[in-house]
Amino acid sequence: MRLVTSAPYPRPEHRLHVTVDAADPRARGRSRGRQLADGLHGALDSYDRLFALAGIRPATVRSDAELALDAVDAFRPALREQIEGIADGARVEPWQIAALNTRTEILARSRAVPPGECSTMVRRLPRPGGGTAPVGVQTWDWHVELSSSWHTVASAGATYRYTGITEHGILAKIGVNSAGLALHFNILGHRDDRAGGVPVHVLAAAVLEEAGSSEHAREILLDAPLTSSGSFALFDEDSALLLDLSPVGIFEVPEASPGTHLRTNHFLTAVPAAHEKSSLYQPDSGERYAFLRDRIAQGPAERAEELVERLITGPGEPPLTCVPDMNAPSGQRWASLATVVLDPATRTAQVLDGTPAEHASRPWRTLRA
């Protein structure tokens, strides 16, 4: 794979797109694993290095992955079958794919490798035929070492088709489904985070495969054994929910302003915030949130492109646009690897392989569920 090495960070010349369509979940996973096989070993190697930098022993990684796999089996056996199918298709062990899907929960054991940062906005915008409907935009900020280890995906065969982005071997992350349910995903940190429940990335897959509305998605999440933290922004053509997910419960976040939800990487409700791992993200997350809130207050946005532009930042500003310091040590170089716009009314995900600042200079890929 040839990498483009121009600023702001290296990335593949051609981003992989994976398409799967099978009613049988194991076959769906196997198809994905075959398409990912060439790049998947690189993703496994990168995460092995991150786990080692975090001081997490290989035996602990495997134990956490196997615990998660059992939890997934009890919650949604078909999702375990997909994970095992990916392993079969890529010719690796099932626990290795489970470890990728559990990477958030495994890394929660350590403070030596801080997580990345993401910024999300869901806002009601005017529709061509009149009225308004929610549209979302997000940066996905993660370790630059993983810049070659994510892809766009279109998955069919479950209750609903879905499309969006995810990492190699991980079932789902950010996307929209054919029912018009959209999901943005940010990581949060709670002192009680641990492996043993259904990983948040697997929950993303459950929502995108099954949920016909934002309320339906909430019902699915409330039924899940959850031992880790994250934020799901869930929205359909009519309504939007922003949720704090944590080991102590799931809590709905009020709008930041009428028709607008904002999210960075700290809890926005009182109960989980009381035991937050604030050292992971603060003061950065609070500064990004306040900066974004102030930008929204400057005036209404009429188009999705204007929402993307509000995520552009430069030197001296809170890094809504995250550009890596390539001189920093491995495990401490974060980048806005992707910028994603979700529109549930049109069932589309628009994906930019780059930062918001590159929105006019690099091509967008439009995917329809």
Side-chain angles (χ1 to χ4, degrees):
M1 178 184 294
R2 192 165 78 84
L3 296 181
V4 178
T5 56
S6 57
Y9 56 83
R11 53 202 148 186
E13 184 177 14
H14 299 291
R15 180 66 57 185
L16 178 66
H17 179 67
V18 170
T19 300
V20 295
D21 186 354
D24 177 71
R26 191 175 296 273
R28 199 154 66 244
R30 191 177 296 115
S31 173
R32 188 187 292 210
R34 287 171 181 153
Q35 294 174 69
L36 290 170
D38 289 344
L40 188 54
H41 294 277
L44 288 167
D45 289 345
S46 292
Y47 271 108
D48 283 347
R49 288 192 291 271
L50 281 179
F51 294 149
L53 285 169
I56 303 169
R57 297 172 57 247
T60 301
V61 171
R62 181 165 185 166
S63 175
D64 282 353
E66 290 175 341
L67 279 174
L69 202 55
D70 288 341
V72 172
D73 191 36
F75 177 63
R76 292 292 191 275
L79 293 176
R80 176 175 184 150
E81 289 185 49
Q82 285 191 60
I83 289 171
E84 292 176 342
I86 292 172
D88 184 30
R91 298 184 180 275
V92 299
E93 293 295 319
W95 73 264
Q96 293 177 284
I97 302 302
L100 294 177
N101 282 273
T102 314
R103 57 88 157 161
T104 299
E105 290 74 15
I106 294 171
L107 288 170
R109 288 180 170 275
S110 173
R111 298 191 181 198
V113 178
E117 47 190 41
C118 301
S119 303
T120 298
M121 176 177 12
V122 177
R123 188 169 172 87
R124 298 192 73 90
L125 296 182
R127 303 305 305 178
T132 63
V135 174
V137 60
Q138 169 174 9
T139 58
W140 173 48
D141 303 341
W142 195 230
H143 298 279
V144 76
E145 291 83 0
L146 275 299
S147 65
S148 297
S149 299
W150 66 272
H151 60 279
T152 58
V153 61
S155 177
T159 303
Y160 298 110
R161 302 183 308 278
Y162 71 86
T163 193
I165 70 166
T166 191
E167 297 175 66
H168 292 357
I170 294 180
L171 292 182
K173 185 184 297 291
I174 301 162
V176 62
N177 72 15
S178 55
L181 184 280
L183 166 63
H184 284 299
F185 182 178
N186 293 50
I187 293 299
L188 309 176
H190 192 275
R191 294 176 200 167
D192 293 339
D193 286 342
R194 62 194 185 279
V198 179
V200 285
H201 282 89
V202 177
L203 286 176
V207 164
L208 288 170
E209 287 192 351
E210 299 177 25
S213 67
S214 56
E215 284 295 342
H216 187 192
R218 180 179 3 213
E219 293 171 9
I220 292 169
L221 295 170
L222 288 171
D223 191 46
L226 185 62
T227 61
S228 54
S229 299
S231 166
F232 281 9
L234 301 158
F235 52 109
D236 52 41
E237 295 181 59
D238 300 313
S239 61
L241 292 172
L242 182 60
L243 301 178
D244 280 349
L245 312 181
S246 77
V248 295
I250 295 174
F251 305 88
E252 184 175 352
V253 177
E255 291 182 328
S257 62
T260 304
H261 286 288
L262 303 177
R263 168 65 78 185
T264 50
N265 297 100
H266 60 283
F267 287 106
L268 295 172
T269 57
V271 173
H275 292 93
E276 184 167 35
K277 290 181 181 177
S278 57
S279 61
L280 288 179
Y281 293 110
Q282 298 293 22
D284 173 82
S285 181
E287 292 171 349
R288 282 185 287 125
Y289 185 90
F291 189 84
L292 189 53
R293 184 185 56 207
D294 290 346
R295 277 197 165 173
I296 287 295
Q298 293 173 6
E302 301 293 325
R303 298 175 295 114
E305 184 179 7
E306 295 175 51
L307 297 184
V308 173
E309 290 171 347
R310 295 187 186 196
L311 293 177
I312 299 172
T313 52
E317 296 177 322
L320 300 173
T321 296
C322 188
V323 178
D325 177 2
M326 298 304 290
N327 295 316
S330 181
Q332 297 184 32
R333 298 180 292 185
W334 301 280
S336 294
L337 299 183
T339 306
V340 184
V341 174
L342 301 179
D343 186 344
T346 59
R347 277 66 168 167
T348 57
Q350 295 183 71
V351 179
L352 173 66
D353 190 344
T355 74
E358 298 173 287
H359 77 99
S361 61
R362 287 179 60 84
W364 289 78
R365 174 177 284 173
T366 299
L367 308 167
R368 186 178 299 276

